[in-house]
Amino acid sequence: MRSIGIAAVLVLLAACETTGLPEGLAIARPNRNAAPGTIIQTIPSGATLIYPDGECLTPCRVDYSREIEVILGKAGYKPLALTIPVGAADAEFELEPVGRSTAVQEESLPEL
């Protein structure tokens, strides 16, 4: 009887462990049977990841059983085209800003 109680406690403790998945994780998959795949994160987060069957916002897990082409994009940043092979490791990409990347001081602006 005591071993059943210990096993129950171990199961409860295992259920409390964190999975390490990013908060707000979206999932891109062609069907419900696709195996868990690669997690794509961006700096800054919230970039649109366009994949063959739709789109999601990063962080996004791409679940596919074949190599796929995706595009990452966010307003104010250069789009990034990627090929994600089957079994690719989780990855984080820093998006390159377009235009000014430093703040402009109000005092430096001319009178209008």
Side-chain angles (χ1 to χ4, degrees), residues 17 30 32 35 47 76 80:
E17 289 182 25
R32 292 180 176 264
L80 180 63

Side-chain angles (χ1 to χ4, degrees), residues 6-100:
I6 292 171
V9 169
L10 292 176
V11 169
L12 288 174
L13 288 175
C16 293
E17 289 182 25
T18 59
T19 60
L21 295 175
E23 187 176 320
L25 180 70
I27 299 176
R29 69 168 55 116
N31 60 55
R32 292 180 176 264
N33 298 326
T38 304
I39 296 175
I40 303 295
Q41 298 194 63
T42 56
I43 300 172
S45 63
T48 300
L49 184 145
I50 300 170
Y51 58 97
D53 298 311
E55 60 185 52
C56 57
L57 295 178
T58 60
C60 182
R61 189 176 75 202
V62 180
D63 297 346
Y64 274 79
S65 56
R66 60 180 166 79
E67 179 178 282
I68 65 166
E69 303 287 325
V70 301
I71 297 173
L72 291 168
K74 185 171 177 113
Y77 296 86
K78 289 174 85 173
L80 180 63
L82 303 169
T83 299
I84 302 176
V86 174
D90 296 345
E92 184 174 77
F93 299 93
E94 187 166 355
L95 301 177
E96 184 180 338
V98 292
R100 284 186 194 247

